[in-house]
């Protein structure tokens, strides 16, 4: 259980998900504020990788970054952000490594859900490089795991990744990409999902995943 | 081909890897400078996720971050960092998503190579969360892809991920973790690798990978 300055609401934890009665409009407002900061921190990550300014200037910038860290840490959560939800079933996971609004490590992925499955368009820059000019193979696996998990968890059920198999057809170039995923079939608590990453010339990476609904957690937290 | 203020050396590209004759001692010095900045940016990522300071202060910090971005961008590479090497076979990939010294997205992973395989100890914090308090399954896949690729690429050969299968035994808690990987067998240009992630209580995630040496690229760039 964590105590926090924002929001002020009382909170209880169920299976790690925390019930938090902050009104949705306040969550929306705060999310936009943190998302704006995370977007600029994402720029700082890119600039840190690509900068060629001299060593002294890098050191001075580092000192200034440290001062900003101290200002943000003046009041903070004692640990990770976790996943919270309120009585209106507004769910927020601002720290999520792939989609978290406050997480500058996340590209972030914006997943669009349709009856046929899920897709997401995104642009990957210098921070996601593996081989020269190409997306790191592990980043591709990470993104596929996420969108396939969201696909498996459609209709508010909760699933966890059981097995994920990723096949690399060719290098995935940094730049604009599309992710797609859809449910192939279901067997009891198992959901079989297929996914892919494509650039303008077609599929670069394919994946198959088995996602599992934990016994007794068929549904996501709700009122 | 990119032009850059640092290093000043001429550079030629072979298979995406860039020959760059900056002396090793200059590379070591610059790497330490950028690594220091990236470490503090990593703190800023964590603080952005966990901060509970009021909206106005977040906005002010964001403006200050934007000013630092502009200072770093005063002189920068035109694109991603790529992978460079010099005549002493010092290789540097400062932008790499998993191990890049200048990349605050990277945990970073410090891979230790032994005759028996590779391992790495690391601590994952708030930026790598998926389910509440647990490492994002995609992050686990990303880290395994990397350490298993390094294992397959031992003895300076170059390999790319062909297929990676990740099996999740239980949730991986945020905190101290160990990654391990070793070669299982080889067939022609294919290298079969096994890997795992463990916490203090044992294995949480297992993986099998097939890594492939591209025809005509049996060796990493060298003199």
């Amino acid at each position: 259980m964590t105590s926090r300055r924002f929001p002020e609401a009382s909170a209880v934890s169920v299976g790690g998900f925390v019930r938090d009665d902050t009104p949705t409009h306040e969550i929306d407002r705060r999310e936009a504020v943190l998302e704006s900061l995370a977007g600029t921190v994402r720029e700082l990550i890119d600039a840190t990788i690509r900068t060629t300014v001299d060593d002294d200037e890098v050191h001075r910038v580092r000192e200034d970054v440290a001062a900003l860290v101290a200002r943000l840490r003046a009041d903070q959560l004692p640990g990770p952000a976790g996943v919270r939800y309120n009585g209106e079933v507004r769910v927020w996971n601002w720290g999520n490594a792939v989609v978290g609004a406050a997480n500058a490590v996340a590209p972030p992925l914006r997943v669009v859900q349709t009856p046929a499955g899920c897709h997401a368009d995104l642009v990957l820059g210098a921070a996601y490089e593996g081989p020269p000019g190409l997306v790191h193979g592990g980043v591709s696996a990470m993104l596929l795991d996420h969108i396939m998990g969201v696909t498996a968890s459609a209709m508010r059920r909760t699933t966890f990744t059981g097995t994920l198999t990723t096949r690399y057809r060719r290098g995935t170039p940094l730049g604009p990409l599309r992710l797609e995923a859809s449910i192939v079939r279901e067997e009891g608590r198992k959901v079989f999902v297929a996914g892919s990453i494509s650039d303008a010339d077609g599929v670069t990476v394919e994946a198959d995943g088995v996602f599992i609904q934990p016994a007794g957690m068929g549904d996501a937290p709700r009122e």
Side-chain angles (χ1 to χ4, degrees), chain A:
Chain A
M1 186 57 51
T2 62
S3 67
R4 61 192 297 198
R5 188 66 56 89
F6 175 88
E8 297 287 355
S10 65
V12 295
S13 176
V14 179
F17 296 83
V18 175
R19 166 70 182 258
D20 179 331
D21 283 325
T22 306
T24 296
H25 68 90
E26 280 186 36
I27 295 303
D28 290 345
R29 191 205 70 238
R30 182 67 176 181
E31 181 171 281
V33 170
L34 291 177
E35 195 164 38
S36 174
L37 174 59
T40 306
V41 173
R42 206 169 279 122
E43 286 290 310
L44 186 66
I45 293 168
D46 182 89
T48 297
I49 293 168
R50 295 169 55 199
T51 191
T52 52
V53 300
D54 67 40
D55 292 359
D56 288 344
E57 175 70 347
V58 173
H59 282 307
R60 284 189 296 265
V61 168
R62 194 203 67 73
E63 284 168 17
D64 290 347
V65 174
L68 298 180
V69 170
R71 281 167 60 186
L72 292 175
R73 291 206 191 287
D75 201 2
Q76 67 175 3
L77 301 174
V83 184
R84 288 172 179 252
Y85 65 101
N86 67 14
E88 299 169 76
V89 204
R90 171 70 160 90
V91 179
W92 61 106
N93 55 350
W94 295 337
N96 186 280
V98 178
V99 295
N103 192 341
V105 163
L109 203 61
R110 308 281 188 208
V111 180
V112 179
Q113 304 199 34
T114 75
C118 291
H119 64 268
D121 293 301
L122 78 166
V123 178
L124 293 182
Y128 301 99
E129 190 179 35
L134 301 177
V135 176
H136 192 294
V139 170
S140 294
M142 177 178 73
L143 298 174
L144 284 165
D145 172 80
H146 191 93
I147 195 167
M148 291 166 71
V150 171
T151 302
S153 303
M155 298 175 294
R156 273 196 209 163
R157 61 187 171 192
T158 297
T159 64
F160 291 90
T161 316
T163 306
L164 182 74
T165 300
T166 313
R167 292 179 302 281
Y168 298 82
R169 299 215 167 278
R170 60 183 168 88
T172 301
L174 292 172
L177 298 168
R178 167 163 274 224
L179 281 92
E180 294 182 320
S182 58
I183 292 175
V184 176
R185 70 179 198 280
E186 304 189 25
E187 282 177 27
R189 294 193 287 117
K190 292 183 179 175
V191 185
F192 295 79
V193 179
S196 66
I197 301 179
S198 303
D199 67 3
D201 296 326
V203 172
T204 62
V205 186
E206 291 179 327
D208 292 311
V210 183
F211 294 82
I212 297 166
Q213 287 184 266
M217 274 190 69
D219 296 311
R222 57 183 174 188
E223 182 65 13

